[in-house]
Amino acid sequence: MPPLSAVIFDFGGVLITPITRTFSKMAESFGIDGSVLREIVMGPLEATSDHPWHLAERGLLPVADIQAQLQPYADEHGVSLAGDEMERLLEEGHWSVNEQMIEMVRRSRSRGLATAMLTNTFTEFRPTLERTIDLTLFDVVAESSRLGARKPDAEIYRSTLDELGLADAGRAVFLDDFAPNVASGEQVGLRTIHVTDIDDAAAQLAEILEEAP
């Protein structure tokens, strides 16, 4: 296994608590499962499509235009949206920073490793990123809306590696909470940690860092 040179962190669900938790609360008023509402609003996890959320994450649609285009997806599940789902989902204050994972970013840097944030996000969300996380902790901030590609597409992993100056994906470890993103990272050749529990993920990364030269 090649020596480790970089650690790549997802934003939502890794550096902060998952914003997708909000779907469970919102879905109660519709009498549906939170995962169903998440798919209505965010589209499928396993592939990029022409869903408005995916278009916005690729920088092809203003985030303000997403809500008006969601009802056809809700119709497939017999749901009439209230019209404020996007506003409620993106409102600051219903997520928190995972300080333990921020410490792992610092620890990675202290070991001489490059660090990157790789996130599916909107152009308009950049100010929120800056308010939430100290972006100077990262050598590369790879945003889907800037790169024109989104996870789980292989292109965005390769672009991130290019910006890190890494030709060998095996020299980077990637942390993400969505299984399809982890699987795609592995296909590109990245070492991966599927984040289902922050304590466990931090422990896995700490073990990997101990192996680093």
Side-chain angles (χ1 to χ4, degrees):
M1 186 174 294
L4 190 66
S5 296
V7 185
I8 304 171
F9 297 84
D10 179 31
F11 178 66
V14 177
L15 296 174
I16 67 166
T17 55
I19 64 171
T20 50
R21 290 179 181 175
T22 307
F23 285 115
S24 295
K25 298 178 182 178
M26 293 168 59
E28 292 177 1
S29 63
F30 300 114
I32 60 175
D33 189 78
S35 63
V36 174
L37 186 60
R38 183 210 56 75
E39 183 168 349
I40 290 171
V41 176
M42 294 182 64
L45 292 178
E46 64 277 3
T48 293
S49 69
D50 60 357
H51 188 283
W53 184 285
H54 292 184
L55 293 176
E57 285 186 331
R58 285 150 53 210
L60 301 176
L61 183 74
V63 69
D65 291 351
I66 295 177
Q67 182 72 54
Q69 300 185 30
L70 293 179
Q71 189 56 51
Y73 299 91
D75 289 341
E76 296 176 8
H77 299 275
V79 174
S80 294
L81 296 176
D84 64 350
E85 284 77 18
M86 285 296 299
E87 179 182 355
R88 292 173 61 187
L89 183 62
L90 297 179
E91 182 182 8
E92 293 183 55
H94 59 81
W95 67 76
S96 59
V97 175
N98 287 324
E99 295 293 348
Q100 185 175 5
M101 199 56 71
I102 296 298
E103 178 56 33
M104 295 309 299
V105 178
R106 295 192 177 97
R107 190 183 302 186
S108 299
R109 293 175 67 86
S110 72
R111 297 298 298 265
L113 303 176
T115 55
M117 177 197 295
L118 171 55
T119 179
N120 286 350
T121 188
F122 312 125
T123 301
E124 298 90 338
F125 199 70
R126 175 66 185 229
T128 301
L129 282 178
E130 294 174 348
R131 287 192 296 270
T132 305
I133 300 289
D134 179 5
L135 297 186
T136 64
L137 290 172
F138 302 95
D139 299 286
V140 169
V141 178
E143 299 162 271
S144 62
S145 56
R146 174 175 65 84
L147 296 173
R150 62 184 296 280
K151 297 175 288 184
D153 298 342
E155 179 183 352
I156 195 168
Y157 302 98
R158 296 191 181 108
S159 294
T160 303
L161 290 168
D162 286 345
E163 293 192 359
L164 285 167
L166 288 181
D168 183 355
R171 297 186 64 180
V173 59
F174 166 59
L175 296 88
D176 199 288
D177 61 323
F178 286 165
N181 296 345
V182 173
S184 293
E186 290 176 351
Q187 291 174 1
V188 170
L190 292 163
R191 299 170 67 175
T192 63
I193 296 175
H194 184 196
V195 180
T196 58
D197 177 86
I198 290 297
D199 291 341
D200 180 62
Q204 289 184 58
L205 179 54
E207 186 175 342
I208 292 173
L209 293 182
E210 287 303 315
E211 299 171 1

